[in-house]
Amino acid sequence: MLKSYARLDFGNSFFRGKTVIDLILEKMPVTISLGLWATLITYLVSIPLGIRKAVRHGSSFDVWSSTAIVIGYAMPAFLFAMFLIVVFAGGTSLNWFPVRGLVSENFDELSTLGKVADYFWHLVLPVTSLVIGGFATLTILTKNSFLNEITRQYVVTARAKGLSERRVLYGHVFRNAMLLVISGIPQAFISVFFAGSLLIEVIFSLDGLGRMSYEAAVSRDYPVVFGSLFIFTLFGLLIKLIGDLCYTLVDPRIDFAARNA
């Protein structure tokens, strides 16, 4: 079994008539689409917002943005997903977005630009549902990390030398503060990529790994269950490795080779 798993040979599904690896490769694009875009948008929103909240700590902007963050954090992703469906997908007078699948039925007939637009059009609601809860923790983490660094002596020294506030913030504080944020990338990515995708895939009728794993567990399709767990674990380890490598990109002073020596 271990030799087969090392070759990514998980056997055949009991009920689906395909090999497990073929099923995983078939469902992977949906899960990757949700996890990748949700994580990317979460970081693109959270890091600038956290920095701005740290710089304007105690201001009215900090207060009302914190209120919005707490509300977003308290609202479960699946509940927000149903709210979006009711408001923007035909539950009211607005019917702007689709609620089924990753692409439209006539996807193959569309032009290249039309295919790209159709793909992102279908992703708007599910990705927004995943982002709403994920960005809260990262925003607060970024804010607290920057606040902690802003009070350090080297920041006072840099300001005394006449450096601009932007140069102090992004030239000195950013690298040190981002180390703590980067350490949370693996957990945040895994949470959005795997844990948060199951209910979203079910609600929006997306045929991804989360939904397949759940159905396999219910039907006791053990080769699919074990194969999915193996892939999830493998991805988790790779993401943690990438997170460690990102340390050296943010702060070149970190040298793993010198530490091992």
Side-chain angles (χ1 to χ4, degrees), residues 190 194 226-240:
I190 293 172
F194 301 125
F226 291 142
S228 301
L229 288 175
F230 183 88
I231 292 297
F232 288 165
T233 304
L234 181 63
F235 264 93
L237 293 174
L238 290 176
I239 292 168
K240 289 182 179 180

Side-chain angles (χ1 to χ4, degrees), residues 53-133:
K53 284 174 64 63
V55 173
R56 302 184 61 179
H57 178 62
S59 65
S60 58
F61 169 80
D62 184 35
V63 173
W64 70 256
S65 60
S66 295
T67 303
I69 287 172
V70 170
I71 294 174
Y73 181 74
M75 182 175 294
F78 73 91
L79 183 61
F80 189 69
M82 290 188 287
F83 170 77
L84 291 178
I85 290 174
V86 170
V87 176
F88 298 109
T92 61
S93 59
L94 302 178
N95 191 12
W96 293 349
F97 300 101
V99 293
R100 293 184 62 86
L102 194 62
V103 293
S104 300
E105 294 181 357
N106 63 336
F107 182 77
D108 293 333
E109 303 173 4
L110 300 175
S111 63
T112 302
L113 185 59
K115 289 180 178 179
V116 173
D118 183 73
Y119 168 73
F120 284 108
W121 183 47
H122 280 75
L123 278 179
V124 170
L125 295 187
V127 169
T128 303
S129 303
L130 287 174
V131 168
I132 190 66

Side-chain angles (χ1 to χ4, degrees), residues 47-48 51 142 145-146 149 154 166-182 250:
I47 292 177
I51 294 174
T142 303
S145 180
F146 271 80
E149 292 297 326
Y154 73 89
R166 184 179 181 86
R167 177 69 182 277
V168 172
L169 189 62
Y170 291 100
H172 294 75
V173 176
F174 184 80
R175 285 184 173 179
N176 294 324
M178 284 301 295
L179 292 177
L180 184 59
V181 177
I182 287 177
V250 174

Side-chain angles (χ1 to χ4, degrees), residues 132-257:
I132 190 66
F135 84 100
T137 303
L138 184 60
T139 300
I140 298 301
L141 178 64
T142 303
K143 175 190 174 183
N144 292 338
S145 180
F146 271 80
L147 281 178
N148 182 56
E149 292 297 326
I150 287 174
T151 59
R152 297 293 181 88
Q153 185 62 43
Y154 73 89
V155 177
V156 177
T157 303
R159 286 171 175 166
K161 290 181 178 180
L163 297 180
S164 65
E165 192 65 24
R166 184 179 181 86
R167 177 69 182 277
V168 172
L169 189 62
Y170 291 100
H172 294 75
V173 176
F174 184 80
R175 285 184 173 179
N176 294 324
M178 284 301 295
L179 292 177
L180 184 59
V181 177
I182 287 177
S183 66
I185 288 179
Q187 184 61 38
F189 191 80
I190 293 172
S191 297
V192 174
F193 200 92
F194 301 125
S197 63
L198 171 58
L199 290 175
I200 299 302
E201 288 178 7
V202 172
I203 291 173
F204 290 98
S205 300
L206 298 171
D207 196 10
L209 282 179
R211 184 177 176 182
M212 183 189 72
S213 303
Y214 171 74
E215 292 175 351
V218 171
S219 61
R220 299 185 181 182
D221 194 350
Y222 296 121
V224 176
V225 173
F226 291 142
S228 301
L229 288 175
F230 183 88
I231 292 297
F232 288 165
T233 304
L234 181 63
F235 264 93
L237 293 174
L238 290 176
I239 292 168
K240 289 182 179 180
L241 177 61
I242 293 172
D244 289 339
L245 294 177
C246 286
Y247 283 129
T248 60
L249 296 178
V250 174
D251 192 347
R253 295 173 300 175
I254 298 177
D255 189 344
F256 293 111

